[in-house]
Amino acid sequence: MLTDIEKKIIAAVQADMPVCERPYEAIARQIGIREEVLLKHLQSLCDRGIIRRFGATLRHQRSGFNANAMAAWQIPEDRIAEAGTVFAAFKEVSHCYRRDPAPQWPYNLYTMIHAKNDAGCRTVVEKMSRAVGIDIFTLLFSHRELKKTSMTYFPTDEED
């Protein structure tokens, strides 16, 4: 069970972090607590596995990575962990997920690949294929981003 203050903290940190010298102090002030109290609660939330990680979102198009593709792989079930570990180690891969296949869609491992262009994505997926010795995959290129947001678990008063 989460306390009211923990819910307020989660609501505050699920939004964009303030760009300033002391972002945690600014968040604490916004909530109405001291920075040390915020950090203590954040540590507790992490220790309990409620918060798993803090991450930054890079607008890849603005940084020169103009292409991305989801590679859907058909991996033997007994090799999923091995292939996932190998694929996740590629610096061009931002996401790696195992999902259940369907009769019409036999793919069970998915990797999001980012590169400067479509050819770069293809080169990376070919290297990945060679690294695990599996060549049953399909590439789904992104053409336009329609929505990209983080999940909101506890809306703030402004978001109600």
Side-chain angles (χ1 to χ4, degrees):
M1 227 30 170
L2 295 172
T3 66
D4 287 342
I5 191 67
E6 288 173 333
K7 289 177 184 177
K8 285 181 182 180
I9 289 170
I10 291 169
V13 299
Q14 71 191 359
D16 290 342
M17 296 286 282
V19 179
C20 62
E21 192 171 320
R22 304 221 24 202
Y24 294 107
E25 181 180 60
I27 292 169
R29 196 173 332 116
Q30 169 194 334
I31 297 170
I33 60 177
R34 292 187 335 273
E35 182 181 26
E36 310 82 63
V37 173
L38 172 74
L39 293 173
K40 180 180 172 189
H41 280 288
L42 284 173
Q43 185 63 60
S44 172
L45 290 164
C46 290
D47 291 346
R48 291 164 30 214
I50 295 167
I51 294 178
R52 289 185 299 153
R53 66 179 180 84
F54 282 88
T57 300
L58 176 68
R59 304 287 180 218
H60 60 274
Q61 297 91 340
R62 293 184 189 169
S63 63
F65 292 90
N66 297 315
N68 59 66
M70 177 69 72
W73 301 85
Q74 191 174 344
I75 307 288
E77 284 300 321
D78 63 340
R79 295 198 54 209
I80 289 282
E82 168 206 348
T85 300
V86 171
F87 291 165
F90 277 79
K91 66 178 173 44
E92 299 90 349
V93 172
S94 63
H95 297 73
C96 185
Y97 292 100
R98 190 259 179 235
R99 300 228 166 121
D100 289 335
Q104 326 74 329
W105 188 256
Y107 304 102
N108 57 357
L109 192 63
Y110 296 81
T111 53
M112 193 66 186
I113 300 162
H114 304 274
K116 294 198 180 291
N117 53 44
D118 288 1
C121 288
R122 287 188 182 88
T123 298
V124 171
V125 81
E126 288 166 10
K127 289 179 187 176
M128 293 167 70
S129 174
R130 285 193 303 275
V132 295
I134 294 174
D135 61 0
I136 304 171
F137 63 87
T138 192
L139 272 177
L140 306 168
F141 283 92
S142 298
H143 295 288
R144 187 170 58 136
E145 189 174 280
L146 301 173
K147 178 181 179 182
K148 185 174 188 172
T149 60
S150 296
M151 182 65 191
T152 301
Y153 297 98
F154 297 104
T156 61
D157 292 339
E158 300 87 45
E159 297 168 324
D160 286 343

